[in-house]
Amino acid sequence: MAGTSVLLHCRSLVWIGSRVVTSGAINNNISFIVKQSVRDFCSKMSAAELAKKAAACAAVDNHVTDNCMLGVGSGSTIVYAVERLADRVKTENLKVQCVPTSFQARQLIINHGLNLSDLERTPELDVAIDGADEVDDQMNLIKGGGGCLTQEKIVAANAKYFVVIADYRKRSKVLGEQWKKGVPIEVIPMAYKPVISQLCMQFGGKAELRMAKAKAGPVVTDNGNFIIDWQFDAVPENWKSVNQEITLIPGVVETGLFVNMAKKVYFGMDDGTVSIKE
């Protein structure tokens, strides 16, 4: 069930002891038994969404100025960033050029009435704001859970300042502590089998082709490529070296390792506050 749907569902329920009844059916005495874990799940979801919004708003408020050339990332946290950006553009009459990192980001920009650009027209960006699947103590990132890693990395690399927004669940001491799905790697379709073999032989661990959930077959990126998720056995000492070696494998387009790229990370906390790491 999608996060938004869960939140809406939670708001439509009234809790009575260990039972829950729909708000429109209390007088009819219609009830059903629910597990305590469901209540906890709804509470955690609301805290996580609150954290995402707090981080996104703080980053937009601190880094977007008039005449800004902005890279707009992808993912669920970015939705709040674009909403806040649209609000500021309207109320403060800001002029902002937005370069998207995915189809989703492009649609968000268009739907909120913001100025859409690209790297042809706007090759140098003042700032890029994007989410992350995990951030370690050295501000190394794993990105690509949503399959947009290549365009995200291109946009971030062409920004003077790369800002990351995430909720408290994405913060780790080392990569792999919280994010258990591995490092996403975008590959040319014809090369996915050889790349999987090379990854396992060279680095160990397990690598799998990411399969789609709403269609038959593999996930296909905005670039028409496949995604391999590499789950490493042990945390490498040098992520920069690992990233470089993976990109040298024929057929690899890009990795979801963002090493030494982020300048500042905004972590939204479960109480609505924001912790900043730089």
Side-chain angles (χ1 to χ4, degrees), residues 173-193:
K173 290 184 178 180
V174 295
L175 295 182
E177 180 183 340
Q178 300 289 345
W179 181 254
K180 302 298 184 181
K181 298 180 181 180
V183 176
I185 301 168
E186 185 164 350
V187 299
I188 300 297
M190 69 172 290
Y192 85 91
K193 272 288 189 182

Side-chain angles (χ1 to χ4, degrees), residues 214-236:
K215 65 174 280 290
V219 168
V220 178
T221 70
D222 287 355
N223 308 309
N225 297 316
F226 291 170
I227 296 284
I228 291 171
D229 292 302
W230 169 54
Q231 298 179 4
F232 46 91
D233 286 331
V235 179

Side-chain angles (χ1 to χ4, degrees), residues 105-226:
R106 185 177 186 276
Q107 293 304 112
L108 284 171
I109 293 166
I110 293 172
N111 292 341
H112 284 81
L114 299 168
N115 292 327
L116 177 68
S117 188
D118 53 45
L119 288 177
E120 277 190 291
R121 291 173 289 180
T122 315
E124 187 174 286
L125 305 172
D126 296 307
V127 62
I129 299 176
D130 205 348
D133 296 309
E134 188 172 35
V135 184
D136 72 8
D137 277 349
Q138 306 303 313
M139 290 171 61
N140 297 315
L141 319 174
I142 291 179
K143 289 177 53 56
C148 307
L149 57 144
T150 298
Q151 292 187 39
E152 289 173 337
K153 187 174 284 189
I154 291 170
V155 169
N158 285 280
K160 297 175 185 175
Y161 206 82
F162 178 39
V163 176
V164 175
I165 53 178
D167 65 74
Y168 56 93
R169 302 171 302 174
K170 308 298 178 65
R171 190 171 196 168
S172 298
K173 290 184 178 180
V174 295
L175 295 182
E177 180 183 340
Q178 300 289 345
W179 181 254
K180 302 298 184 181
K181 298 180 181 180
V183 176
I185 301 168
E186 185 164 350
V187 299
I188 300 297
M190 69 172 290
Y192 85 91
K193 272 288 189 182
V195 171
I196 287 176
S197 298
Q198 186 64 32
L199 280 169
C200 295
M201 181 175 65
Q202 191 170 343
F203 302 103
K206 181 176 67 172
E208 295 181 340
L209 181 66
R210 186 185 299 181
M211 303 305 290
K213 295 182 179 179
K215 65 174 280 290
V219 168
V220 178
T221 70
D222 287 355
N223 308 309
N225 297 316
F226 291 170

Side-chain angles (χ1 to χ4, degrees), residues 250-269:
V252 170
V253 177
E254 191 52 86
T255 82
L257 290 168
F258 284 52
V259 182
N260 299 330
M261 294 185 71
K263 302 297 184 184
K264 185 175 289 189
V265 183
Y266 289 80
F267 291 104
M269 309 308 289

Side-chain angles (χ1 to χ4, degrees), residues 49-59 80 165 266-269 272-274:
E49 294 304 313
L50 178 67
K52 291 178 184 180
K53 186 170 185 177
C57 290
Y80 295 113
I165 53 178
Y266 289 80
F267 291 104
M269 309 308 289
T273 61
V274 175

